[in-house]
Amino acid sequence: DAGITQSPRHKVTETGTPVTLRCHQTENHRYMYWYRQDPGHGLRLIHYSYGVKDTDKGEVSDGYSVSRSKTEDFLLTLESATSSQTSVYFCAISDRVSYGYTFGSGTRLTVV
Amino acid sequence: GIQVEQSPPDLILQEGANSTLRCNFSDSVNNLQWFHQNPWGQLINLFYIPSGTKQNGRLSATTVATERYSLLYISSSQTTDSGVYFCAVRDGSEKLVFGKGTKLTVNP
């Protein structure tokens, strides 16, 4: 979707290294989310943000941190990547008028 | 937490057939959405439907909140309808809980 972009699209990293994934939106939506998608688990919420510098944990937040210094950017950081964090990561944005969610194209992260 | 179950897990159709996908949820919800994940991984929001019925072209959805289920109807299916269909609900928190999805394959 043109209003939300994720970078990088693919990344391979080594165990123990830090990794930052970026989500950028041009829709000026207040709410932003990070999900991970794994076979057998569907999509699970990692962290979300309800405004600049306002963030909270989701159901699988251990090992992840987030930051939102501007409305348009939401960063997900793996401080020390582990093989269990190999996954596809999706960013989503939402407004509270339509309640619709728009997802980014995803980042495929492989931790070796 | 709230549980979301989708059925069937897999569905194979011939082009032109109709289908019904079901989503059951365990508690009251204030937000229910249907998504389609295409074979390239892109997630597309189909419907926001916490109650009632909506239609968009060949797709329609009905949610009966009092009975805790939602149905997604696909009529005259096309090969481009293939992918995984997810139901997701929110119970008042910020967490949108996804079901495990129905994988639809439409053969030409």
Side-chain angles (χ1 to χ4, degrees), chain B residues 34-76:
Chain B
W34 283 96
F35 295 88
H36 175 221
Q37 187 169 38
N38 65 25
W40 296 271
Q42 182 66 38
L43 278 155
I44 306 297
N45 190 313
L46 298 175
F47 293 103
Y48 164 69
I49 186 164
S51 63
T53 297
K54 289 186 178 179
Q55 180 153 8
N56 184 1
R58 296 181 295 103
L59 273 61
S60 65
T62 295
T63 296
V64 183
T66 53
E67 297 186 22
R68 299 180 183 169
Y69 73 89
S70 182
L71 302 174
L72 178 69
Y73 305 95
I74 304 173
S75 64
S76 304

Side-chain angles (χ1 to χ4, degrees), chain A residues 26-59:
Chain A
T26 57
E27 304 296 321
N28 201 35
H29 286 344
R30 180 181 173 191
Y31 288 82
M32 299 184 76
Y33 308 83
W34 278 107
Y35 283 85
R36 60 178 289 175
Q37 185 176 26
D38 305 289
H41 291 280
L43 284 98
R44 293 178 292 174
L45 180 65
I46 305 171
H47 281 281
Y48 67 95
S49 170
Y50 48 96
V52 173
K53 297 186 179 178
D54 291 323
T55 65
D56 208 343
K57 296 179 180 180
E59 62 183 308

Side-chain angles (χ1 to χ4, degrees), chain A residues 33 35 37 40 96 99 101, chain B residues 33 37 45 90 94 100:
Chain A
Y33 308 83
Y35 283 85
Q37 185 176 26
R96 289 311 171 92
Y99 290 92
Y101 283 65
Chain B
Q33 304 195 31
Q37 187 169 38
N45 190 313
R90 200 173 71 202
E94 278 306 315
K100 289 185 166 52

Side-chain angles (χ1 to χ4, degrees), chain A residues 16 58 64 100 104:
Chain A
Y64 302 95

Side-chain angles (χ1 to χ4, degrees), chain A residues 39-101:
Chain A
H41 291 280
L43 284 98
R44 293 178 292 174
L45 180 65
I46 305 171
H47 281 281
Y48 67 95
S49 170
Y50 48 96
V52 173
K53 297 186 179 178
D54 291 323
T55 65
D56 208 343
K57 296 179 180 180
E59 62 183 308
V60 289
S61 59
D62 287 348
Y64 302 95
S65 63
V66 290
S67 66
R68 192 169 179 198
S69 59
K70 298 183 290 185
T71 298
E72 57 266 36
D73 290 325
F74 192 32
L75 304 180
L76 177 71
T77 298
L78 291 65
E79 300 291 346
S80 178
T82 67
S83 59
S84 65
Q85 294 175 312
T86 293
S87 186
V88 180
Y89 291 85
F90 286 96
C91 177
I93 59 175
S94 175
D95 66 37
R96 289 311 171 92
V97 176
S98 70
Y99 290 92
Y101 283 65

